[in-house]
């Protein structure tokens, strides 16, 4: 009866809405002056007016058609189920599980304007598009003479007669925060001496200049120096002698780093500089990352930097850009319709950033002007001609020789201003070196500047001195495009420094730490947001005196450790083994601290009566979800012990969207029920926990609960020991031993069927998807989305790459395979375990070096629309092998595939047959996909790994690499410290409804909304924290729902970061709210998504967003909060264009 009533009410409501809408539309047509036809002064008959209105009504109805169909679907869903908790699963007679459909309406309402963005079409095309440049170049590596990878440079002596050459020599010292030595050891052995000498030596002559970039080192030094020395540093910065370039915590790797961490380390550095020295960086300096992402110029531009410099670019591209005078360009984002993302970029032309490769094309001559290499020192010139100290007797000849190099180098650029870096790794660590370089160069400059006939003015300069002079010379404001300079879009992967030595191995090297990096990042984001909310709520309640403000120091420490790990030898996996351990210890320490911060915030926020809050560090209110026994071990999940009293769980959802998730909990008894905080039973499933293929863990069970989790919120659940009648539905398992004689330890209380032979081929399915597997391998064979007749071939296999037998071999940086991959051939056939249950089913295949689990969630919404794939890899007994996972499909992708850059944007790639196999690998921090006119297959990843598509329809990812030798890039070690590593993926097959060839040819692509949301689901898992106390002593707990409204689903809250107070270990009352509006492709069908999703054309009302909190102030700022943008207005409504990231300084309370 109740159901009928509901349907009637809903039907009536919809009828009213429809009638009212028609009325409004007619009204709008009548009153909208823009809709009147021009020239409407002459009288018309009533009929034509009416006809006109009907046409316009039809148009409006067309626009609203989608929304109405969503309402219809919702009504159908409402009629099918009464409102309430997610329905419990039923078990029909045929043995497969059915989960009743969701009883809440779900809809996808994307405004048509929001679909226009991905179609693009606006804006002029760039002069240089990197995909096109790759297609154009022969990559023939011809010998260029003294400039081996270039060409002979000539000039006319009178070229500078009318406009003299202006030379800026920029002294620098490249300090790696960990590589051959640990961060601390480098600091104590070298960096502190470099900075101490800098203060001393720069004060000796006001003409001296120096640049510094790594704030991680600089801040450590700052903490250890006197007030007097600090004042001297501020003076040197103030008078332009010392420049802070980029100003990030580190010089970040640009291949494997995720954009959250890239921004976070930039904010950490910039905030430190602003607070301690009062300076804002103007120019970017990245001489050592191994290839460059177009995400970095975007972040620098949005931080208000006006220019940047890069160095490690493929030698063939450098040569081509040098020959066409395109080494300086405006770097623009592919999606930018105008010039708002343009930043001036200077590319260094030669092999390295050391002195022999920076003064000009001939390293034999340039090396003679590296005065650290004067005879008698520890290093010399490999070209066998040593430097000579500059004297009155030789200055004319030496200066002429150097000027010849300067002039040749300047011929590669468009302007008469020349940049000459002067430095190398950990240079200037002794006063003698400062004297040798600065005194000898000053003598040369004095000579050159005293000879008007040479038409040159040479001096020491900072990076910004150079860019300022360049802008002045061409007569424009810094940041604008110099006349004639080209516009470039695209990126600079993959990098080769010589021959076929492609730096594509480091996209995968040390995957264990690449994975730990992302776990820490997700925890940092979650902890920042929850801490900021708990602090705001406790301040509002006047309870901040009892809240542990000391947690702020833990947040700062975690920001800095995550920032340190973004360094280009850290996350890259290219440091010494002992250094990797040091990073690992830091990451684990921060991970544990962040769990503590989350627990303290969650404790405060779920208390029904906040007055009962007491912070007791010795006895935390909540337990951790999992623990790691050491920095290189996989996590062990906490087992909740069930007793007579109920146990409570607090589940944290770090996403800004509500999610319906399967939440796993380990318990010590199979007799368990899960209830909501109100005491309603929740859908759940009981499964065994396995130590190995055939060994079930005794007395431990996994109960998986289907729970709706509030956006950024906390949900309280109860676990009860169940009486037999109320037990949780159990999964059943089939174990196929494939003829192997292995002992089987069965789980208690759960059905297990053991088969001595291999399985026949079999399938698993849910309401969205059928996945079929090969019985004898347990590996995926095909996918068939619901409603399609034909299955798509999506078969997976493991492969092994070897390395070359002679000369150069693969190492931490380089991938130098011995040809195509060979099939992985383990000793024994796999044991395959198939588990089926109401909420999810999975296939586990156990091979010698890899265990793979493919899981299909049988739930509505995001989790049920893709396959969950995980690979537990252990190749510690391999020698010079790399393990790959390849998917082969019937998608006709030809030579095109797509990879992401930093989880921020997608870059189309083309398999280049003219290049060796290793050149066709690219970084994949978040996703890669292939597509044809009908389908798109996306591989989403929870950790950065190397990826390629070597044949049409293929997608392959390198899982781990074990290499026994150094690859001659300075590390001096192979990669032999492999760990047991878990790589996690999602596989998403989507139908393309409106693809067209022209669109697909464009050098730009976007994921679908579903793909974006699947990616954030995968990267921000729900955290399950058991309440330590048992029921009788427990205060009342209430779920915490922080958001008053639903965020548009193309908005992502990147961070809500509490800013530091004057005392940097304490929080201020302000926070940085960082929002990202994602660009997405609407051409991928999104029927029956099972989750709510609307977009708003980039509009968002922040005023009423946070429930129970007021937005005290809202100031838009540059990305890293250095500059206010516009005035702080009273309006709290904001607008973001697609792809934009925006920072707001806010006050919540």
């Amino acid at each position: 009866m109740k159901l009928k009533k509901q349907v009637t009410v809903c039907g009536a409501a919809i009828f009213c809405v429809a009638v009212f809408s028609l009325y409004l539309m007619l009204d709008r047509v009548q009153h909208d002056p823009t809709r009147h036809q021009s020239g409407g002064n002459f009288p018309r008959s009533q009929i034509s007016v009416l006809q006109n209105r009907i046409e316009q009504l039809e148009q409006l109805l067309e626009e609203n058609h989608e929304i109405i169909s969503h309402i219809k679907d919702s009504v159908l869903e409402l009629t099918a189920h009464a409102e309430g908790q997610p329905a419990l699963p039923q078990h029909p007679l045929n043995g497969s599980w059915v989960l009743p459909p969701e009883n809440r309406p779900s809809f996808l309402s994307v405004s048509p304007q929001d679909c226009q963005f991905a179609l693009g079409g606006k804006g002029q095309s760039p002069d240089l598009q990197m995909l096109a440049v790759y297609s154009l170049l022969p990559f023939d590596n011809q010998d260029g003479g003294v400039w081996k990878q270039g060409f002979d440079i000539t000039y006319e002596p009178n070229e500078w007669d009318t406009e003299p050459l202006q030379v800026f020599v920029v002294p620098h010292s490249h300090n790696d925060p960990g590589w051959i030595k640990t961060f601390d050891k480098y600091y104590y052995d070298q960096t502190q001496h470099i900075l101490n000498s800098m203060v001393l030596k720069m004060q000796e002559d006001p003409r001296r200049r120096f640049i510094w970039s790594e704030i991680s080192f600089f801040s450590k030094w700052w903490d250890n120096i006197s007030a007097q020395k600090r004042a001297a540093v501020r003076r040197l910065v103030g008078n332009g002698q010392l420049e802070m370039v980029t100003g990030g915590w580190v010089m970040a790797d640009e291949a494997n780093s995720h954009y959250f961490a890239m921004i976070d380390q930039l904010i950490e550095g910039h905030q430190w500089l602003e607070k301690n020295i009062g300076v804002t960086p103007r120019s970017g300096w990245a001489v050592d990352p191994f290839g460059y992402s177009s995400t970095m110029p975007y972040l620098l531009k949005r931080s208000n930097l006006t220019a940047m410099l890069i160095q490690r670019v493929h030698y063939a591209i450098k040569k081509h850009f040098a020959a066409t005078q395109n080494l300086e360009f405006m770097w623009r984002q592919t999606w930018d319709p105008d010039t708002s993302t343009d930043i001036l970029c200077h590319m260094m032309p030669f092999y390295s950033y050391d002195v022999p490769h920076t003064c000009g094309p001939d390293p034999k001559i340039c090396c003679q002007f590296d005065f650290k290499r004067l005879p008698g020192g520890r290093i010399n010139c490999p070209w066998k001609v040593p430097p000579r100290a500059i004297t009155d007797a030789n200055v004319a000849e030496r200066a002429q020789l150097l000027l010849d190099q300067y002039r040749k180098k300047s011929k590669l650029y468009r302007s008469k201003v020349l940049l000459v870096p002067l430095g190398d790794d950990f240079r200037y660590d002794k006063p003698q070196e400062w004297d040798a370089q600065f005194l000898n160069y000053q003598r040369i400059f004095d000579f050159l500047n005293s000879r008007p006939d040479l038409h040159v003015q040479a001096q020491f300069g900072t990076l910004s001195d150079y860019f300022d002079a360049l802008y002045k010379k061409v007569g424009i404001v810094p940041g604008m495009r110099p006349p004639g300079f080209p516009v470039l879009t695209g990126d600079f992967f993959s990098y080769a420094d010589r021959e076929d030595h492609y730096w594509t191995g480091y996209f995968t090297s040390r995957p264990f730490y690449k994975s730990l990096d992302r776990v820490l990042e997700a925890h940092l984001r979650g902890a920042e947001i929850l801490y900021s909310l708990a602090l705001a709520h406790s301040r509002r309640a006047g309870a901040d005196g009892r809240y542990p403000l000391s947690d702020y120091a833990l947040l700062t420490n975690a920001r800095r450790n995550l920032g340190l790990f973004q360094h280009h030898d850290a996350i890259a996996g290219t440091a010494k083994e002992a250094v990797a351990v040091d990073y690992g210890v830091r990451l684990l320490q921060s991970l544990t601290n962040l769990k503590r911060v989350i627990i303290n915030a969650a404790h405060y926020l779920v208390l029904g009566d906040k007055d009962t809050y007491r912070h007791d560090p010795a006895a935390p209110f909540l337990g951790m979800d999992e623990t790691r026994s050491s920095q290189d071990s996989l996590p062990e999940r906490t087992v909740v012990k069930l007793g007579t009293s109920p146990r409570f769980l607090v589940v944290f959802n770090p996403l800004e969207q509500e999610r319906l998730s399967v939440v796993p909990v380990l318990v010590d008894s199979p007799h368990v029920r899960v209830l909501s905080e109100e005491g309603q039973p929740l859908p759940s499933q009981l499964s065994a926990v396995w130590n190995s293929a055939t060994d079930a863990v005794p007395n431990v069970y996994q109960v998986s609960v289907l729970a709706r989790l509030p956006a950024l919120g906390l949900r309280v659940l109860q676990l009860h020991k169940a009486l037999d009648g109320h037990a949780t539905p159990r999964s059943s398992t089939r174990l196929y031993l494939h003829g192997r004689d292995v002992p089987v330890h069965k789980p208690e209380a759960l059905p297990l069927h053991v088969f001595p032979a291999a399985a026949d081929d079999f399938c698993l399915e849910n309401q969205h998807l059928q996945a079929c597997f090969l019985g004898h391998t347990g590996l995926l064979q095909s996918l068939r989305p619901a409603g399609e007749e034909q299955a798509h071939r999506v078969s997976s296999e493991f492969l092994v790459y070897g390395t070359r037998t002679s000369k150069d071999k693969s190492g931490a940086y380089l991938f130098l395979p011995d040809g195509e991959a060979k099939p992985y051939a383990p000793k024994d056939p796999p044991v395959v375990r198939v588990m089926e249950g109401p909420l999810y089913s999975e296939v586990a295949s156990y091979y010698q070096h890899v265990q793979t689990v493919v899981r299909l969630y049988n739930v509505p919404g995001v989790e049920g629309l893709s396959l969950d794939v995980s690979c537990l890899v252990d190749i510690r007994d391999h020698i010079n092998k790399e393990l790959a996972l390849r998917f082969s499909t019937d998608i006709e992708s030809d030579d095109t595939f797509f990879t992401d850059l930093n989880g921020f944007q997608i870059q189309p790639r083309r398999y280049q047959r003219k290049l060796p196999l290793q050149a066709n690998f690219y970084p994949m921090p978040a996703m890669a996909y292939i597509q044809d006119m009908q389908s798109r297959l996306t591989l989403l990843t929870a950790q950065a790994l190397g990826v390629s598509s070597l044949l049409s329809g293929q997608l392959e990812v390198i899982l781990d690499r074990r290499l026994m030798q150094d690859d001659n890039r300075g590390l001096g070690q192979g990669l032999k410290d492999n760990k047991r590593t878990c790589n996690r993926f999602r596989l998403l097959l989507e139908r393309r409804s409106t693809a067209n060839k022209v669109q697909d040819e464009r050098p730009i692509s976007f994921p679908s909304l579903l793909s974006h949301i699947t990616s954030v689901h995968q990267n921000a898992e729900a955290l399950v924290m058991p309440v330590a106390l048992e029921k009788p002593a427990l205060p009342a707990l209430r779920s915490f729902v922080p958001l008053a409204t639903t965020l548009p689903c193309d908005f992502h809250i990147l961070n809500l970061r509490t800013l530091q107070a004057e005392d940097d270990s304490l929080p201020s009352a302000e926070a940085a709210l960082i929002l990202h509006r994602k660009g997405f492709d609407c051409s991928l069908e999104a029927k029956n998504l099972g989750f709510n999703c609307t977009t708003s054309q980039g509009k968002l009302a922040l005023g009423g967003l946070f429930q129970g909190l007021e937005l005290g102030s809202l100031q838009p700022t540059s990305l890293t909060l250095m500059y206010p943008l516009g005035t702080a207005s009273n309006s709290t409504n904001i607008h973001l264009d697609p792809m934009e990231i925006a920072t707001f300084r806010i006050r919540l309370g």
Side-chain angles (χ1 to χ4, degrees):
M1 187 65 203
K2 188 179 167 201
L3 202 57
K4 256 190 183 161
K5 198 170 176 184
Q6 237 177 351
V7 175
T8 317
V9 169
C10 268
I14 282 169
F15 180 72
C16 294
V17 168
V19 171
F20 189 57
S21 304
L22 285 170
Y23 170 73
L24 285 178
M25 286 173 200
L26 270 169
D27 200 44
R28 181 175 155 197
V29 169
Q30 266 174 322
H31 292 113
D32 190 346
T34 58
R35 289 188 176 267
H36 282 303
Q37 300 294 314
S38 55
N41 303 340
F42 56 88
R44 281 189 182 180
S45 72
Q46 290 291 310
I47 293 171
S48 74
V49 172
L50 203 56
Q51 202 170 1
N52 199 20
R53 283 193 189 157
I54 287 168
E55 277 171 20
Q56 288 165 341
L57 253 179
E58 278 173 350
Q59 189 188 336
L60 283 164
L61 279 169
E62 187 64 35
E63 284 176 22
N64 284 295
H65 173 74
E66 262 192 68
I67 294 171
I68 287 167
S69 71
H70 288 310
I71 293 174
K72 268 193 201 155
D73 290 348
S74 305
V75 172
L76 288 173
E77 287 187 40
L78 272 174
T79 55
H81 318 284
E83 182 64 80
Q85 291 291 334
L88 295 173
Q90 291 140 15
H91 194 202
L93 295 173
N94 67 2
S96 69
W97 294 92
V98 179
L99 192 73
E102 254 294 319
N103 50 22
R104 300 192 5 166
S106 62
F107 51 86
L108 179 73
S109 168
V110 177
S111 77
Q113 292 92 321
D114 287 339
C115 292
Q116 286 306 308
F117 174 72
L119 303 174
K122 292 198 209 90
Q124 312 142 330
S125 50
D127 308 291
L128 300 166
Q129 207 294 312
M130 288 312 298
L131 257 183
V133 171
Y134 257 79
S135 303
L136 181 82
L137 295 186
F139 293 97
D140 52 359
N141 193 21
Q142 290 180 350
D143 191 330
V146 292
W147 176 16
K148 209 120 186 80
Q149 298 169 327
F151 45 85
D152 205 27
I153 307 172
T154 55
Y155 62 86
E156 299 298 323
N158 59 356
E159 280 189 47
W160 292 272
D161 286 6
T162 52
E163 200 185 343
L165 181 63
Q166 215 180 337
V167 180
F168 288 92
V169 172
V170 179
H172 69 99
S173 178
H174 179 65
N175 283 240
D176 289 304
W179 180 39
I180 304 302
K181 303 178 185 178
T182 63
F183 173 78
D184 285 338
K185 188 136 178 53
Y186 270 139
Y187 174 77
Y188 290 115
D189 290 358
Q190 282 146 295
T191 305
Q192 64 168 337
H193 305 303
I194 296 168
L195 291 167
N196 286 331
S197 317
M198 182 266 298
V199 179
L200 201 63
K201 289 293 174 182
M202 295 281 279
Q203 295 182 88
E204 290 179 5
D205 186 339
R207 295 172 296 180
R208 294 182 179 179
R209 298 287 183 272
F210 195 62
I211 62 169
W212 189 268
S213 76
E214 298 81 11
I215 304 303
S216 48
F217 274 131
F218 202 87
S219 67
K220 186 176 176 72
W221 173 67
W222 188 262
D223 291 343
N224 288 299
I225 60 174
S226 65
Q228 195 183 352
K229 216 178 239 191
R230 289 179 180 184
V233 171
R234 290 194 185 103
R235 277 198 305 278
L236 290 170
V237 170
N239 68 16
Q241 283 185 264
L242 170 63
E243 184 187 11
M244 296 306 205
V245 286
T246 311
W249 202 245
V250 296
M251 188 184 288
D253 173 38
E254 300 189 18
N256 303 294
S257 51
H258 191 259
Y259 77 122
F260 173 95
M262 290 170 86
I263 293 169
D264 207 64
Q265 64 87 28
L266 212 50
I267 292 176
E268 195 59 33
H270 286 186
Q271 290 289 294
W272 188 92
L273 283 172
E274 187 177 45
K275 187 169 176 295
N276 292 283
I277 304 182
V279 64
T280 55
R282 295 172 49 210
S283 305
W285 171 263
V287 288
D288 204 25
F290 327 133
Y292 297 90
S293 160
S294 45
T295 305
M296 196 52 111
Y298 174 76
L299 301 181
L300 295 181
K301 172 74 175 190
R302 290 290 175 258
S303 303
N304 263 23
L305 278 74
T306 50
M308 61 185 292
L309 171 147
I310 60 177
Q311 148 62 22
R312 287 192 185 269
V313 172
H314 194 300
Y315 60 88
I317 291 172
K318 286 190 173 217
K319 177 180 175 177
H320 173 66
F321 280 14
T324 51
Q325 284 192 327
N326 284 334
L327 288 163
E328 288 182 319
F329 50 85
M330 299 306 284
W331 199 344
R332 180 178 297 170
Q333 299 304 312
T334 41
W335 70 82
D336 183 4
D338 48 42
T339 59
S340 86
T341 61
D342 287 15
I343 183 169
L344 176 65
C345 181
H346 172 102
M347 183 189 291
M348 291 168 59
F350 307 124
Y351 173 76
S352 164
Y353 56 81
D354 63 9
V355 184
H357 295 95
T358 44
C359 89
D362 190 344
K364 182 177 179 178
I365 292 173
C366 290
C367 195
Q368 297 171 46
F369 294 89
D370 181 358
F371 296 103
K372 185 186 169 92
R373 302 180 197 241
L374 283 165
R378 282 191 326 189
I379 54 167
N380 52 23
C381 284
W383 295 270
K384 304 284 188 285
V385 186
R388 302 211 298 272
I390 305 300
T391 62
D392 289 349
N394 69 11
V395 67
E397 174 263 329
R398 301 313 284 165
Q400 284 284 5
L401 186 62
L402 184 57
L403 178 59
D404 175 60
Q405 290 298 308
Y406 287 171
R407 285 174 169 176
K408 283 175 174 166
K409 183 176 179 178
S410 97
K411 289 289 289 176
L412 307 178
Y413 293 89
R414 288 171 191 255
S415 85
K416 296 275 172 32
V417 187
L418 181 67
L419 172 66
V420 180
L422 180 69
D424 202 342
D425 292 4
F426 294 96
R427 280 301 188 88
Y428 301 98
D429 62 341
K430 293 188 173 64
Q432 298 87 308
E433 185 186 349
W434 285 85
D435 292 342
Q437 303 285 27
F438 280 91
L439 295 173
N440 282 299
Y441 267 97
Q442 195 59 59
R443 287 176 198 132
I444 294 172
F445 298 161
D446 291 345
F447 174 81
L448 291 172
N449 298 343
S450 67
R451 293 276 305 273
D453 57 314
L454 294 177
H455 303 288
V456 61
Q457 186 208 340
Q459 64 203 61
F460 291 117
T462 63
L463 185 59
S464 292
D465 287 341
Y466 165 74
F467 284 123
D468 287 344
L470 172 64
Y471 280 120
K472 192 173 173 186
K473 190 79 113 182
V474 295
I476 56 166
V477 182
M480 300 306 289
R481 176 181 174 187
F485 277 41
V487 171
L488 176 143
T489 63
D491 68 332
F492 296 100
F493 290 116
S494 291
Y495 168 58
D497 58 348
R498 55 179 188 252
E499 298 159 38
D500 58 357
H501 292 192
Y502 283 84
W503 297 45
T504 51
Y506 84 99
F507 301 156
T508 299
S509 297
R510 295 199 170 110
F512 179 89
Y513 295 108
K514 285 176 162 67
S515 173
L516 183 56
D517 161 78
R518 292 283 276 278
V519 173
L520 180 63
E521 178 184 297
H523 276 75
L524 177 58
R525 179 181 165 276
E528 294 272 19
I529 292 170
L530 215 53
Y531 176 83
S532 297
L533 292 171
L535 195 59
H537 279 282
S538 68
R539 278 187 178 138
R540 195 173 167 89
D544 47 331
R546 297 202 309 278
Y547 193 78
L549 300 181
S550 55
D551 279 4
Y552 191 75
L554 301 181
L555 279 176
T556 301
N557 170 267
R559 293 167 181 170
R560 293 179 174 185
N561 281 337
L562 180 69
L564 185 70
F565 196 67
Q566 304 315 304
H567 163 52
H568 56 263
D569 288 306
I571 191 171
T574 54
K576 289 259 193 208
E577 287 178 16
V579 179
V581 170
D582 182 61
Y583 289 133
V585 168
R586 289 167 184 270
L587 295 176
L588 178 58
Q589 176 203 11
S590 288
L591 183 60
T592 310
N593 285 342
L594 289 174
K595 285 186 185 291
R596 217 170 289 160
V597 174
I598 290 170
I599 282 168
N600 290 339
H603 175 194
Y604 180 80
L605 293 167
V606 294
L607 283 179
D609 178 3
K610 303 286 189 255
D611 291 340
T612 61
Y613 177 76
R614 295 288 175 276
H615 170 58
D616 180 358
F621 182 73
L622 297 168
M624 296 195 182
D625 56 326
E626 59 183 31
T627 52
R628 292 176 185 245
S629 55
S630 66
Q631 55 87 23
D632 60 354
S633 60
L634 289 169
E636 290 171 33
R637 287 160 54 207
T638 305
V639 180
V640 179
K641 296 192 165 26
L642 299 177
T644 48
S645 305
R647 290 296 304 268
F648 283 77
L649 303 173
V650 175
V651 186
F652 173 41
N653 170 22
L655 296 190
E656 60 284 295
Q657 298 291 337
E658 177 183 82
R659 79 205 264 180
L660 185 66
S661 277
V662 174
V663 177
V665 188
L666 295 189
V667 290
D668 65 348
S669 162
H671 308 292
V672 59
R673 290 172 71 210
V674 188
L675 308 179
S676 67
E677 76 189 280
E678 300 83 16
Q680 295 289 325
L682 292 173
S684 54
Q685 159 178 339
L686 192 73
S687 336
V689 177
W690 297 85
N691 268 329
S692 70
T694 57
D695 182 19
V697 182
N699 305 319
V700 177
Y701 302 87
Q702 176 167 302
V703 59
S704 305
V705 195
L706 183 62
R708 188 177 293 287
L709 307 175
L712 297 178
L714 299 158
R715 174 93 192 262
V716 178
L717 304 176
Q718 315 181 34
L719 293 178
H720 287 251
K721 206 152 190 180
L723 306 165
D724 283 353
H726 298 290
T728 289
R730 299 173 181 216
S731 56
S732 67
T733 304
R734 305 192 299 279
L735 189 59
Y736 298 96
L737 299 179
H738 217 126
R740 289 170 63 180
D741 184 20
V742 278
V744 176
H745 296 287
K746 295 190 174 188
E748 296 161 41
L750 286 162
L752 173 73
H753 306 284
V754 180
F755 300 90
D760 296 330
D761 296 356
F762 60 94
C763 301
L764 299 176
E765 66 183 297
N766 65 12
Q767 67 264 49
H768 303 294
L769 200 57
Q770 180 191 60
C772 296
F773 299 81
L774 280 179
H776 64 281
T777 64
L779 297 180
L780 184 66
Q781 205 44 35
S782 68
L783 285 177
R784 183 175 63 79
E788 288 192 27
E789 293 293 300
Q790 210 50 46
H792 294 260
R793 180 166 87 93
V794 181
S795 64
S796 62
E797 60 183 318
F798 293 104
L799 302 156
V800 176
Y801 283 98
T803 189
R804 298 177 180 179
T805 47
S806 61
K807 246 179 46 168
D808 297 286
K809 296 180 171 63
S810 297
Y813 301 92
L814 306 183
F815 179 33
L816 295 170
D818 59 352
E820 292 185 6
K822 302 180 178 53
Y824 166 62
K827 252 194 356 255
D828 299 306
V831 170
V832 176
R833 199 174 61 231
V834 184
M835 189 271 283
E836 291 190 67
L839 297 184
Y840 70 90
S841 300
E842 67 180 26
V843 181
S845 312
Y846 284 76
Y847 290 88
Q848 188 185 347
H849 302 97
V850 57
Q851 303 163 21
T852 173
V853 178
V854 180
R855 181 178 288 191
L856 183 60
Y857 285 101
N858 186 24
V859 298
V862 179
E863 303 206 340
L865 290 158
S866 56
L867 275 184
D868 191 302
V869 180
S870 63
C871 298
L872 185 60
V873 177
D874 185 353
I875 57 168
R876 286 176 294 185
D877 63 351
H878 275 347
I879 290 178
N880 277 331
K881 296 278 190 283
E882 313 199 17
L883 186 68
L885 169 63
R886 178 183 292 167
F887 294 96
S888 303
T889 73
D890 48 21
I891 292 173
E892 293 169 12
S893 57
D894 297 331
D895 59 359
T896 302
F897 59 111
F898 302 82
T899 68
D900 76 291
L901 290 168
N902 318 102
F904 175 61
Q905 57 183 325
I906 298 293
Q907 178 62 51
R909 308 288 184 193
R910 212 155 276 138
Y911 178 79
Q912 299 284 355
R913 281 178 181 72
K914 62 188 169 189
L915 294 180
L917 181 144
Q918 64 270 22
N920 287 290
F921 274 79
Y922 292 94
M924 174 184 64
M927 68 175 77
Y929 52 84
I930 51 172
Q931 64 184 24
D932 58 19
M933 300 311 278
Q934 282 74 45
S935 313
R936 175 184 289 182
L937 181 76
T938 307
L939 181 68
L940 299 119
T941 177
Q943 59 287 306
L945 295 166
V947 73
S948 189
S949 170
L950 301 176
L951 273 178
S952 181
Q954 281 186 5
L955 204 51
E956 74 175 73
V957 55
I958 309 281
L959 299 174
D960 199 0
R961 43 206 316 261
R962 183 172 171 83
L963 302 157
M964 312 317 282
Q965 62 285 312
D966 181 46
D967 50 10
N968 301 309
R969 291 304 183 279
L971 180 60
Q973 279 184 350
L975 277 180
K976 296 187 268 194
D977 57 349
N978 304 71
K979 323 282 178 211
R980 284 179 78 233
T981 299
C982 188
N983 291 316
R984 293 173 33 246
F985 309 100
R986 284 273 177 106
L987 200 58
L988 175 64
L989 181 65
E990 295 174 287
R991 236 190 116 69
R992 301 184 75 204
S993 52
T994 55
N996 70 63
K997 261 276 186 274
V998 180
Q999 204 60 37
D1000 286 357
E1001 299 286 287
R1002 292 169 60 236
I1004 183 165
S1005 185
F1006 297 95
S1008 66
L1009 267 174
L1010 173 59
S1011 180
H1012 277 306
I1013 294 168
T1014 306
S1015 182
V1016 292
H1017 265 244
Q1018 185 182 26
N1019 281 286
E1021 295 185 303
L1023 285 183
V1024 185
M1025 298 165 281
V1027 176
L1029 298 170
E1030 297 199 13
K1031 180 71 172 131
L1034 203 61
L1037 303 182
R1038 269 211 302 271
S1039 290
F1040 168 64
V1041 181
L1043 300 187
T1045 54
T1046 305
L1047 231 59
C1049 55
D1050 54 348
F1051 271 80
H1052 174 50
I1053 296 181
L1054 199 59
N1055 209 345
L1056 178 60
R1057 184 187 211 259
T1058 296
L1059 300 174
Q1060 63 182 30
E1062 274 312 297
D1063 171 352
D1064 57 12
S1065 65
L1066 292 174
S1068 72
E1070 290 186 316
L1073 174 64
I1074 309 176
L1075 298 173
H1076 174 205
R1077 184 177 172 208
K1078 304 204 167 182
F1080 58 90
D1081 183 344
C1082 292
S1083 74
L1084 294 118
E1085 276 183 16
K1087 286 183 180 156
N1088 312 322
L1089 284 184
F1091 62 92
N1092 298 352
C1093 175
T1094 54
T1095 64
S1096 60
Q1097 293 168 51
K1099 297 196 230 356
L1100 179 61
L1102 288 176
L1105 185 61
F1106 296 101
Q1107 198 151 266
L1109 293 174
E1110 276 169 30
L1111 193 59
S1113 63
L1114 173 74
Q1115 169 67 63
T1117 70
S1118 59
L1119 182 64
T1120 59
L1121 299 117
M1122 301 282 258
Y1123 301 87
L1125 302 178
T1127 51
S1129 72
N1130 290 333
S1131 167
T1132 56
N1133 296 335
I1134 61 152
H1135 175 266
L1136 240 62
D1137 285 328
M1139 290 304 295
E1140 291 293 351
I1141 301 173
T1143 302
F1144 302 88
R1145 192 185 280 270
I1146 67 168
R1147 205 176 271 264
L1148 281 176

